Amino acid sequence: MPHHRYRPYQQRVDVPAPAPETPEAPERSWPGARIERAPLWVPVDLRDGNQALAEPMDTERKRRFFDLLVSMGFKEIEVGYPSASRTDFAFVRHLAERAARGELPDDVTVVVFTPARTELIDRTFESIEGLPRAVVHLYIPTSPVWRDVVLGRSRSEVYGVVEEAAAHMARLADARPHADIRFQFAPETFNLTEPDYVLEVCDGLTELWDASPDRPVTHNLPATVEIATPNVYADQIEYMHRHLARRDSVILSVHPHNDRGTGVACAELAVLAGAQRVEGCLFGNGERTGNVDLVTLALNLYAQGVDPMVDFSDIDAVRDVVEHCNRLPVHPRHPYAGDLVHTAFSGTHQDAISKGFAHHARRAAELGVPEREAPWDVPYLPIDPADIGRSYEAVIRVNSQSGKGGMAYLLQTRYGLDLPRAMRPDFSRVVQEATDDSGQEATAKELYELFRATYVVPGQDGEVALSSWTTDRAPEDGAHRFVCTLQVGERAGDFEGTGNGPLSAFVDALAAAGITVGILDYAEHAVTEGGGSEAVAYVRCRVGDVERWGAGLDTSVLTASVQAVLAAVNRAGAAQ
């Protein structure tokens, strides 16, 4: 591959290290910073995301998406590029009409996007007529390649175009004193632009628009096309953060794309470096490889104990709307929202998660709080799936890679069967053989049916069967007696056994029939499901030279135990 055709970022743009604020201060402060509060999230799905769709949204889809964003708690929403299409213009007018009817929340501000051309700025202001609040977002490419190749203008000429456009915006806003219109500027391809030039342009607009703390301007610094590792972008942002004029009158915003797959990291490091606002899309839609994903960013903060200030408590409902409006699916492995992100197939992962759930339940009980309120610390699950509206059913799923812990967890949580620890490896081998043969995942229902077929059915329908049986206890010595009619293959007979318990008496009766059985392990517990209650018994028996597990299910503990022994006997017989 001709790698020599490409230049490293150092040869494309000068990235000065942020100068220390004092001689004692570090060169850059962002590596030691912490994010302790959420920035202002600004979704651009209806503009940047929409322009990347093969089939752009119509007004109805845009309306549905906008209403979703409002319901989630977003306070600034970029809604379109009204000078670029009739659909976008019509949607902004639709919002203005809703505002006139009092249908837009007072704390939500609409953002509209415009290039630095006066006739298109006029069209943009036309679209927002009647909106009580709006941000007009002005942009122009500023990097050398775009200036030379796309615009054919020098640095000073590009600055002149921006200055003229910004002054025109100010005049149009002054002519609408009834509306709260604020300004935003984006030097497109900021991350490829000379830092001194970006600073000159931004500071010039801050002065022209007469920014103040109570009426700040927004300077939005995009990584339009990623060119370097996220630390480089962080240095660029910190440089601007330290050098922007009227810093208390500027909202420093970032707009990372994901060309190198590091959009989330770029945004997080930019916030550490001084950014106060982040533009992106839900689930990372956008041009090429997409805009930074606001879902991942917000829930990353949530996983650190920081309130993201937006509501993802029903993430599947959010995903449904986004998939419908974008006509694009969310990947099954997408962080937090994909179908498989809380799912473990690996046996070691399943075992750790199962133990983590048990530990979490115990800890909640010790603290005297509901499990939903107890501190979360479960292996392999960064957040509690229930916090974003997910159930635990999909957390552990079984295929040929799964281990005994996952199968046991599913049988216990879905069917109330708490397999003895010593039995789990045996069932694991059964499941692995079945999934190896099918090459497919086994559902919880399929696991249950496999368990019944392997361990329970042989006790009810096998070579050795009980036609009838009774048990009693001698009053003089307390010994138990088991009397039964036993069918062994083609022959049947009546047999009797005694022992210190009914199960040992049954084993003695089997010995009288010529079947030598030793019980090595025994467990039983109640199973409550669907309003009914029954018992399950598990036994591991040595039958001749073979060891086998069996299980029984019945409303009677003794009947379940007898069935379990018979199941082990029949399974052992089939193996000999």
Side-chain angles (χ1 to χ4, degrees):
M1 296 174 64
H3 64 276
H4 60 276
R5 301 177 62 206
Y6 304 97
R7 293 179 294 156
Y9 78 89
Q10 300 96 320
Q11 296 178 20
R12 302 174 71 185
V13 62
D14 178 37
V15 182
E21 294 174 349
T22 67
E24 298 79 25
E27 242 185 9
R28 47 178 63 83
S29 63
W30 63 260
R34 294 176 59 189
I35 303 177
E36 296 179 333
R37 57 179 302 220
L40 175 63
W41 309 115
V42 181
V44 296
D45 302 81
L46 300 175
R47 196 276 302 174
D48 206 351
N50 185 57
Q51 73 186 36
L53 298 175
E55 297 179 70
M57 293 179 240
D58 55 21
T59 297
E60 177 55 30
R61 288 177 193 264
K62 277 201 161 198
R63 181 202 60 75
R64 186 175 177 189
F65 208 134
F66 179 83
D67 289 346
L68 169 72
L69 295 172
V70 170
S71 72
M72 294 172 68
F74 288 103
K75 302 305 180 186
E76 257 186 46
I77 303 170
E78 190 165 86
V79 298
Y81 193 157
S83 66
S85 76
R86 283 182 298 176
T87 302
D88 274 23
F89 186 91
F91 181 65
V92 180
R93 295 307 308 147
H94 164 76
L95 293 179
E97 291 163 7
R98 287 178 61 179
R101 298 194 297 268
E103 295 174 6
L104 290 189
D106 293 338
D107 59 350
V108 173
T109 300
V110 162
V111 183
V112 288
F113 194 68
T114 182
R117 289 172 53 184
T118 54
E119 71 276 15
L120 300 183
I121 293 170
D122 288 340
R123 179 70 168 165
T124 302
F125 271 80
E126 208 180 310
S127 74
I128 63 172
E129 191 68 45
L131 281 170
R133 295 166 307 284
V135 173
V136 181
H137 182 180
L138 173 69
Y139 85 96
I140 196 169
T142 54
S143 67
V145 172
W146 268 256
R147 291 196 310 260
D148 298 343
V149 176
V150 180
L151 301 177
R153 287 188 166 98
S154 66
R155 282 174 52 144
S156 61
E157 287 172 331
V158 170
Y159 190 179
V161 170
V162 174
E163 194 172 39
E164 181 184 347
H168 189 57
M169 286 168 55
R171 288 191 294 271
L172 292 175
D174 288 343
R176 294 164 171 78
H178 55 280
D180 178 14
I181 299 175
R182 293 188 293 108
F183 305 123
Q184 175 175 335
F185 172 62
E188 190 185 8
T189 65
F190 154 78
N191 60 324
L192 277 164
T193 304
E194 307 93 330
D196 66 303
Y197 181 54
V198 175
L199 195 62
E200 178 188 357
V201 176
C202 288
D203 284 349
L205 296 190
T206 300
E207 183 177 352
L208 190 155
W209 285 330
D210 194 22
S212 61
D214 62 340
R215 191 175 176 76
V217 300
T218 299
H219 288 311
N220 186 44
L221 309 179
T224 308
V225 180
E226 282 193 306
I227 62 162
T229 49
N231 61 295
V232 175
Y233 188 56
D235 279 349
Q236 293 174 307
I237 298 302
E238 184 160 355
Y239 175 84
M240 296 295 290
H241 169 58
R242 290 188 178 184
H243 292 90
L244 279 167
R246 303 195 199 185
R247 184 63 187 88
D248 62 348
S249 304
V250 172
I251 298 170
L252 182 54
S253 176
V254 293
H255 180 110
H257 278 257
N258 200 41
D259 300 270
R260 290 167 53 93
T262 59
V264 167
C266 280
E268 290 179 333
L269 267 58
V271 172
L272 293 174
Q276 301 150 286
R277 180 181 183 273
V278 178
E279 293 187 350
C281 290
L282 300 190
F283 308 115
N285 181 41
E287 299 279 12
R288 303 179 311 282
T289 55
N291 292 72
V292 70
D293 174 23
L294 295 185
V295 177
T296 300
L297 283 171
L299 290 176
N300 280 357
L301 280 188
Y302 183 77
Q304 297 293 311
V306 177
D307 184 353
M309 305 301 289
V310 283
D311 183 7
F312 287 103
S313 59
D314 189 352
I315 202 164
D316 288 335
V318 173
R319 191 182 73 175
D320 288 347
V321 173
V322 173
E323 288 182 328
H324 168 76
C325 294
N326 287 343
R327 299 179 176 94
L328 289 173
V330 171
H331 195 280
R333 297 290 183 190
H334 193 98
Y336 300 106
D339 283 337
L340 297 177
V341 297
H342 302 118
T343 299
F345 288 104
S346 160
T348 54
H349 291 203
Q350 292 174 342
D351 184 58
I353 292 170
S354 179
K355 290 174 179 175
F357 277 140
H359 172 77
H360 180 72
R362 289 194 302 271
R363 190 177 183 196
E366 291 166 0
L367 294 172
V369 298
E371 290 183 32
R372 285 294 306 275
E373 295 178 17
W376 183 257
D377 196 14
V378 174
Y380 296 110
L381 295 176
I383 65 171
D384 185 348
D387 287 352
I388 53 174
R390 291 281 177 86
S391 73
Y392 297 128
E393 289 185 8
V395 170
I396 291 178
R397 290 164 60 178
V398 171
N399 62 15
S400 61
Q401 304 300 309
S402 304
K404 56 186 182 296
M407 300 159 203
Y409 174 82
L410 287 177
L411 288 179
Q412 182 175 23
T413 56
R414 299 292 295 279
Y415 294 98
L417 300 179
D418 187 10
L419 272 62
R421 191 164 296 276
M423 187 183 187
R424 296 175 186 182
D426 189 79
F427 186 47
S428 176
R429 287 188 289 272
V430 173
V431 174
Q432 186 162 31
E433 183 177 343
T435 51
D436 273 339
D437 288 344
S438 69
Q440 297 185 3
E441 174 189 353
T443 65
K445 182 179 180 182
E446 288 167 341
L447 286 176
Y448 179 68
E449 294 302 329
L450 187 58
F451 173 82
R452 284 186 58 89
T454 304
Y455 298 106
V456 178
V457 171
Q460 301 166 341
D461 181 18
E463 183 75 8
V464 181
L466 280 172
S467 300
S468 63
W469 59 276
T470 61
T471 182
D472 58 31
R473 190 172 186 180
E476 60 275 7
D477 58 4
H480 289 260
R481 189 167 65 109
F482 195 99
V483 179
C484 62
T485 300
L486 204 60
Q487 183 86 27
V488 183
E490 296 297 322
R491 60 189 180 88
D494 295 328
F495 301 94
E496 182 178 324
T498 59
N500 58 8
L503 210 54
S504 61
F506 175 46
V507 167
D508 191 48
L510 287 171
I515 304 171
T516 304
V517 179
I519 296 178
L520 307 176
D521 247 323
Y522 173 81
E524 55 86 9
H525 63 82
V527 178
T528 303
E529 187 183 350
S533 180
E534 60 182 348
V536 58
Y538 315 91
V539 296
R540 179 164 60 99
C541 296
R542 179 180 290 114
V543 185
D545 296 328
V546 177
E547 289 185 13
R548 285 292 181 269
W549 280 93
L553 283 162
D554 196 85
T555 53
S556 160
V557 174
L558 178 56
T559 301
S561 302
V562 169
Q563 289 177 353
V565 171
L566 269 182
V569 167
N570 283 318
R571 292 189 68 227
Q576 293 182 18

